[in-house]
Amino acid sequence: MSIEQSLLSRSNESCELCSSKESLRVYEVPPVEAHADKCLLVCKTCHAQLTDENELDATHWHCLNTAMWSTTPAVQIVSWRLLKRLMSEPWAQDSLDMLYLDEDMQKWAEAGLVEINDEATLDCNGTPLQTGDTVTLVKDLNVKGANFTAKRGTAVRGIALSSNPAHIEGKVNGQRIVIISAYTKKS
Ligand SMILES: [Zn+2]
């Protein structure tokens, strides 16, 4: 049986994260091994965000509140990684607190994170930033796609690192935005 066939039968022909039946494809969970146990069947929307083609849409990922209870290890791993990246959302933090991984699973989950962020994300002083840190903006930022300027001096709490080390993600004015890490200072 091909990987795709085994995933289709495991998943009941639906996205293993959000249950969508649209445009399903295989997502190889990094570090990649071509084996069905290390892959997920996901829809186009989930895939684009998993591979950083599109920004993470926090609203879409409320599906993780269900997916994280899957009995498929690869689904739990990917849910854990996504929740970790969405930690500035209180619901994601709550779910992450409830998601228990045993030691081997935890290692696997973190292996993927290290691979995504192998280059350090630095603030304007060259201080490394971590997920969950609070930073202050060191200049006014025009937020693309939203009608406001994030003012210099604004504190951004509970930031998340991005797959791009030059960017962090955080909430300003109740909106989740991407911020250039060099325009922030760790508080
Ligand atoms: Zn999906």
Side-chain angles (χ1 to χ4, degrees), residues 120-166:
T121 299
L122 306 175
D123 75 355
C124 63
N125 294 324
T127 307
L129 298 173
Q130 303 291 342
T131 292
D133 279 352
T134 297
V135 299
T136 309
L137 302 182
V138 296
K139 61 178 277 175
D140 288 356
L141 301 175
N142 286 314
V143 180
K144 254 189 273 169
N147 274 331
F148 70 91
T149 301
K151 290 279 179 211
R152 178 172 175 210
T154 304
V156 186
R157 293 189 173 79
I159 62 155
L161 298 187
S162 140
S163 52
N164 179 345

Short mmCIF file of all heavy atoms in Angstrom, two decimals, residues 120-166:
data_model
loop_
_atom_site.label_atom_id
_atom_site.label_comp_id
_atom_site.label_asym_id
_atom_site.label_seq_id
_atom_site.Cartn_x
_atom_site.Cartn_y
_atom_site.Cartn_z
N ALA A 120 19.07 31.68 15.25
CA ALA A 120 18.46 32.40 16.35
C ALA A 120 17.72 33.64 15.83
O ALA A 120 18.14 34.27 14.86
CB ALA A 120 19.52 32.80 17.35
N THR A 121 16.62 33.96 16.49
CA THR A 121 15.89 35.20 16.22
C THR A 121 16.39 36.24 17.22
O THR A 121 16.38 36.00 18.42
CB THR A 121 14.38 34.95 16.40
OG1 THR A 121 13.99 33.95 15.44
CG2 THR A 121 13.58 36.21 16.17
N LEU A 122 16.88 37.36 16.72
CA LEU A 122 17.53 38.35 17.58
C LEU A 122 16.77 39.66 17.61
O LEU A 122 16.20 40.08 16.60
CB LEU A 122 18.96 38.61 17.07
CG LEU A 122 19.85 37.38 16.90
CD1 LEU A 122 21.18 37.76 16.28
CD2 LEU A 122 20.07 36.67 18.23
N ASP A 123 16.78 40.32 18.76
CA ASP A 123 16.16 41.65 18.83
C ASP A 123 17.17 42.70 18.37
O ASP A 123 18.25 42.36 17.87
CB ASP A 123 15.63 41.91 20.26
CG ASP A 123 16.73 42.24 21.25
OD1 ASP A 123 17.93 42.17 20.88
OD2 ASP A 123 16.40 42.58 22.40
N CYS A 124 16.84 44.00 18.53
CA CYS A 124 17.69 45.06 17.99
C CYS A 124 19.07 45.10 18.65
O CYS A 124 20.01 45.66 18.08
CB CYS A 124 16.98 46.41 18.12
SG CYS A 124 16.70 46.88 19.83
N ASN A 125 19.18 44.50 19.83
CA ASN A 125 20.49 44.47 20.50
C ASN A 125 21.23 43.16 20.29
O ASN A 125 22.27 42.93 20.90
CB ASN A 125 20.32 44.67 22.02
CG ASN A 125 19.79 46.06 22.35
OD1 ASN A 125 20.14 47.02 21.68
ND2 ASN A 125 18.93 46.14 23.34
N GLY A 126 20.66 42.29 19.46
CA GLY A 126 21.30 41.00 19.24
C GLY A 126 21.01 40.00 20.35
O GLY A 126 21.67 38.97 20.45
N THR A 127 20.00 40.30 21.19
CA THR A 127 19.62 39.35 22.25
C THR A 127 18.67 38.31 21.66
O THR A 127 17.71 38.67 20.98
CB THR A 127 18.89 40.11 23.39
OG1 THR A 127 19.71 41.19 23.79
CG2 THR A 127 18.58 39.20 24.56
N PRO A 128 18.95 37.01 21.88
CA PRO A 128 18.08 35.98 21.32
C PRO A 128 16.66 36.05 21.91
O PRO A 128 16.51 36.25 23.11
CB PRO A 128 18.74 34.66 21.72
CG PRO A 128 20.14 35.01 22.11
CD PRO A 128 20.10 36.43 22.60
N LEU A 129 15.67 35.89 21.07
CA LEU A 129 14.27 35.90 21.51
C LEU A 129 13.74 34.46 21.54
O LEU A 129 14.14 33.64 20.72
CB LEU A 129 13.42 36.73 20.55
CG LEU A 129 13.79 38.21 20.46
CD1 LEU A 129 12.99 38.90 19.36
CD2 LEU A 129 13.57 38.91 21.80
N GLN A 130 12.84 34.21 22.49
CA GLN A 130 12.22 32.89 22.62
C GLN A 130 10.71 33.05 22.55
O GLN A 130 10.18 34.10 22.93
CB GLN A 130 12.54 32.27 24.00
CG GLN A 130 14.00 32.12 24.32
CD GLN A 130 14.67 31.06 23.47
OE1 GLN A 130 13.99 30.22 22.87
NE2 GLN A 130 15.99 31.11 23.39
N THR A 131 10.03 31.99 22.15
CA THR A 131 8.58 31.98 22.20
C THR A 131 8.12 32.27 23.63
O THR A 131 8.69 31.75 24.57
CB THR A 131 8.07 30.59 21.74
OG1 THR A 131 8.36 30.47 20.36
CG2 THR A 131 6.57 30.44 21.94
N GLY A 132 7.14 33.17 23.76
CA GLY A 132 6.63 33.51 25.09
C GLY A 132 7.23 34.78 25.66
O GLY A 132 6.72 35.33 26.63
N ASP A 133 8.32 35.28 25.05
CA ASP A 133 8.95 36.52 25.53
C ASP A 133 8.02 37.73 25.32
O ASP A 133 7.12 37.70 24.49
CB ASP A 133 10.24 36.82 24.74
CG ASP A 133 11.42 36.01 25.26
OD1 ASP A 133 11.28 35.35 26.30
OD2 ASP A 133 12.49 36.06 24.62
N THR A 134 8.30 38.79 26.09
CA THR A 134 7.65 40.07 25.85
C THR A 134 8.69 40.99 25.23
O THR A 134 9.83 41.05 25.69
CB THR A 134 7.16 40.67 27.19
OG1 THR A 134 6.17 39.80 27.72
CG2 THR A 134 6.53 42.05 26.98
N VAL A 135 8.30 41.70 24.17
CA VAL A 135 9.21 42.65 23.53
C VAL A 135 8.53 44.02 23.45
O VAL A 135 7.31 44.12 23.57
CB VAL A 135 9.62 42.20 22.10
CG1 VAL A 135 10.34 40.87 22.12
CG2 VAL A 135 8.41 42.13 21.18
N THR A 136 9.34 45.05 23.23
CA THR A 136 8.83 46.40 23.02
C THR A 136 9.23 46.82 21.62
O THR A 136 10.35 46.52 21.18
CB THR A 136 9.49 47.35 24.05
OG1 THR A 136 9.33 46.77 25.34
CG2 THR A 136 8.83 48.71 24.05
N LEU A 137 8.33 47.49 20.92
CA LEU A 137 8.66 47.97 19.57
C LEU A 137 9.61 49.15 19.69
O LEU A 137 9.39 50.05 20.50
CB LEU A 137 7.38 48.38 18.83
CG LEU A 137 6.32 47.29 18.68
CD1 LEU A 137 5.13 47.82 17.88
CD2 LEU A 137 6.90 46.06 18.00
N VAL A 138 10.65 49.20 18.87
CA VAL A 138 11.60 50.30 18.93
C VAL A 138 11.37 51.32 17.81
O VAL A 138 12.09 52.29 17.69
CB VAL A 138 13.07 49.82 18.92
CG1 VAL A 138 13.37 49.00 20.17
CG2 VAL A 138 13.40 49.01 17.68
N LYS A 139 10.37 51.08 16.97
CA LYS A 139 9.97 52.08 15.99
C LYS A 139 8.49 51.91 15.63
O LYS A 139 7.92 50.85 15.88
CB LYS A 139 10.86 52.05 14.75
CG LYS A 139 10.87 50.74 13.98
CD LYS A 139 11.75 50.82 12.76
CE LYS A 139 11.01 51.46 11.57
NZ LYS A 139 11.84 51.66 10.41
N ASP A 140 7.89 52.97 15.07
CA ASP A 140 6.51 52.88 14.61
C ASP A 140 6.45 51.92 13.43
O ASP A 140 7.29 52.00 12.53
CB ASP A 140 5.99 54.24 14.13
CG ASP A 140 5.77 55.20 15.29
OD1 ASP A 140 5.94 54.77 16.45
OD2 ASP A 140 5.44 56.37 15.03
N LEU A 141 5.47 51.03 13.43
CA LEU A 141 5.37 50.07 12.33
C LEU A 141 4.00 50.17 11.67
O LEU A 141 2.98 50.12 12.35
CB LEU A 141 5.55 48.63 12.85
CG LEU A 141 6.86 48.31 13.56
CD1 LEU A 141 6.81 46.89 14.10
CD2 LEU A 141 8.05 48.47 12.62
N ASN A 142 4.00 50.34 10.35
CA ASN A 142 2.75 50.28 9.61
C ASN A 142 2.40 48.82 9.42
O ASN A 142 3.21 48.06 8.90
CB ASN A 142 2.88 50.97 8.25
CG ASN A 142 2.91 52.47 8.42
OD1 ASN A 142 2.11 53.04 9.15
ND2 ASN A 142 3.87 53.10 7.76
N VAL A 143 1.22 48.45 9.86
CA VAL A 143 0.84 47.05 9.76
C VAL A 143 0.16 46.81 8.43
O VAL A 143 -0.90 47.36 8.15
CB VAL A 143 -0.07 46.64 10.93
CG1 VAL A 143 -0.45 45.17 10.83
CG2 VAL A 143 0.62 46.93 12.25
N LYS A 144 0.81 46.00 7.62
CA LYS A 144 0.29 45.67 6.29
C LYS A 144 -1.05 44.97 6.42
O LYS A 144 -1.22 44.08 7.23
CB LYS A 144 1.26 44.72 5.57
CG LYS A 144 2.06 45.41 4.47
CD LYS A 144 2.83 44.38 3.64
CE LYS A 144 4.19 44.07 4.28
NZ LYS A 144 4.84 42.91 3.68
N GLY A 145 -2.03 45.38 5.65
CA GLY A 145 -3.31 44.70 5.64
C GLY A 145 -4.23 45.07 6.79
O GLY A 145 -5.35 44.63 6.84
N ALA A 146 -3.73 45.88 7.73
CA ALA A 146 -4.59 46.34 8.83
C ALA A 146 -4.45 47.85 8.85
O ALA A 146 -3.45 48.39 8.42
CB ALA A 146 -4.14 45.74 10.15
N ASN A 147 -5.50 48.53 9.35
CA ASN A 147 -5.48 49.99 9.28
C ASN A 147 -4.92 50.64 10.51
O ASN A 147 -5.58 51.46 11.12
CB ASN A 147 -6.89 50.51 9.05
CG ASN A 147 -7.21 50.51 7.57
OD1 ASN A 147 -6.31 50.65 6.74
ND2 ASN A 147 -8.47 50.36 7.24
N PHE A 148 -3.73 50.26 10.93
CA PHE A 148 -3.19 50.96 12.07
C PHE A 148 -1.67 50.93 12.08
O PHE A 148 -1.05 50.15 11.34
CB PHE A 148 -3.77 50.41 13.39
CG PHE A 148 -3.29 49.04 13.76
CD1 PHE A 148 -2.16 48.87 14.55
CD2 PHE A 148 -3.97 47.92 13.32
CE1 PHE A 148 -1.73 47.61 14.90
CE2 PHE A 148 -3.53 46.64 13.66
CZ PHE A 148 -2.41 46.50 14.45
N THR A 149 -1.13 51.81 12.87
CA THR A 149 0.31 51.83 13.06
C THR A 149 0.58 51.32 14.46
O THR A 149 -0.04 51.79 15.41
CB THR A 149 0.82 53.28 12.93
OG1 THR A 149 0.45 53.75 11.64
CG2 THR A 149 2.33 53.36 13.08
N ALA A 150 1.46 50.37 14.57
CA ALA A 150 1.86 49.89 15.90
C ALA A 150 2.93 50.86 16.38
O ALA A 150 3.97 51.03 15.75
CB ALA A 150 2.39 48.47 15.80
N LYS A 151 2.63 51.55 17.48
CA LYS A 151 3.49 52.64 17.94
C LYS A 151 4.75 52.13 18.63
O LYS A 151 4.73 51.12 19.34
CB LYS A 151 2.71 53.51 18.93
CG LYS A 151 1.61 54.31 18.30
CD LYS A 151 2.17 55.56 17.64
CE LYS A 151 1.07 56.38 16.97
NZ LYS A 151 1.57 57.10 15.79
N ARG A 152 5.79 52.90 18.44
CA ARG A 152 7.03 52.68 19.15
C ARG A 152 6.73 52.64 20.66
O ARG A 152 5.95 53.45 21.15
CB ARG A 152 7.96 53.85 18.84
CG ARG A 152 9.25 53.78 19.54
CD ARG A 152 10.19 54.86 19.06
NE ARG A 152 11.36 54.76 19.90
CZ ARG A 152 12.14 55.76 20.22
NH1 ARG A 152 11.91 56.96 19.74
NH2 ARG A 152 13.16 55.55 20.99
N GLY A 153 7.33 51.71 21.39
CA GLY A 153 7.09 51.62 22.83
C GLY A 153 5.98 50.65 23.19
O GLY A 153 5.81 50.31 24.36
N THR A 154 5.22 50.17 22.17
CA THR A 154 4.16 49.20 22.45
C THR A 154 4.77 47.88 22.92
O THR A 154 5.74 47.40 22.32
CB THR A 154 3.34 48.92 21.16
OG1 THR A 154 2.85 50.16 20.67
CG2 THR A 154 2.19 47.97 21.42
N ALA A 155 4.23 47.34 24.00
CA ALA A 155 4.71 46.04 24.49
C ALA A 155 3.92 44.93 23.79
O ALA A 155 2.71 45.03 23.65
CB ALA A 155 4.52 45.94 25.99
N VAL A 156 4.62 43.92 23.32
CA VAL A 156 3.97 42.77 22.70
C VAL A 156 4.28 41.56 23.58
O VAL A 156 5.44 41.17 23.71
CB VAL A 156 4.49 42.53 21.26
CG1 VAL A 156 3.71 41.42 20.58
CG2 VAL A 156 4.42 43.82 20.44
N ARG A 157 3.25 41.02 24.20
CA ARG A 157 3.44 39.92 25.16
C ARG A 157 3.26 38.57 24.50
O ARG A 157 2.45 38.42 23.60
CB ARG A 157 2.43 40.05 26.31
CG ARG A 157 2.69 41.26 27.13
CD ARG A 157 1.86 41.35 28.40
NE ARG A 157 2.35 42.49 29.16
CZ ARG A 157 2.02 43.75 28.88
NH1 ARG A 157 1.20 44.01 27.89
NH2 ARG A 157 2.53 44.75 29.59
N GLY A 158 4.02 37.60 24.98
CA GLY A 158 3.82 36.22 24.51
C GLY A 158 4.06 36.06 23.03
O GLY A 158 3.24 35.50 22.32
N ILE A 159 5.20 36.56 22.55
CA ILE A 159 5.50 36.45 21.12
C ILE A 159 5.70 34.98 20.72
O ILE A 159 5.95 34.14 21.58
CB ILE A 159 6.77 37.23 20.74
CG1 ILE A 159 8.00 36.68 21.49
CG2 ILE A 159 6.59 38.72 20.98
CD1 ILE A 159 9.30 36.94 20.80
N ALA A 160 5.60 34.72 19.43
CA ALA A 160 5.92 33.39 18.91
C ALA A 160 7.01 33.56 17.87
O ALA A 160 7.04 34.57 17.16
CB ALA A 160 4.69 32.76 18.28
N LEU A 161 7.92 32.60 17.81
CA LEU A 161 8.94 32.65 16.77
C LEU A 161 8.31 32.18 15.46
O LEU A 161 7.31 31.48 15.47
CB LEU A 161 10.11 31.75 17.14
CG LEU A 161 10.86 32.13 18.42
CD1 LEU A 161 12.09 31.26 18.57
CD2 LEU A 161 11.25 33.60 18.43
N SER A 162 8.91 32.57 14.36
CA SER A 162 8.39 32.18 13.06
C SER A 162 9.44 31.30 12.40
O SER A 162 10.56 31.20 12.88
CB SER A 162 8.12 33.47 12.28
OG SER A 162 8.50 33.33 10.95
N SER A 163 9.08 30.65 11.30
CA SER A 163 10.07 29.81 10.62
C SER A 163 11.16 30.70 10.00
O SER A 163 12.24 30.24 9.70
CB SER A 163 9.40 28.97 9.54
OG SER A 163 8.63 29.82 8.72
N ASN A 164 10.85 31.97 9.82
CA ASN A 164 11.85 32.93 9.34
C ASN A 164 12.48 33.63 10.54
O ASN A 164 11.77 34.33 11.27
CB ASN A 164 11.13 33.93 8.43
CG ASN A 164 12.08 35.00 7.90
OD1 ASN A 164 13.19 35.17 8.41
ND2 ASN A 164 11.64 35.70 6.89
N PRO A 165 13.78 33.46 10.78
CA PRO A 165 14.39 34.03 11.98
C PRO A 165 14.36 35.56 12.03
O PRO A 165 14.57 36.15 13.09
CB PRO A 165 15.83 33.50 11.97
CG PRO A 165 16.06 32.99 10.60
CD PRO A 165 14.73 32.68 9.98
N ALA A 166 14.08 36.21 10.90
CA ALA A 166 13.99 37.68 10.89
C ALA A 166 12.63 38.16 11.38
O ALA A 166 12.42 39.35 11.56
CB ALA A 166 14.26 38.20 9.49
#
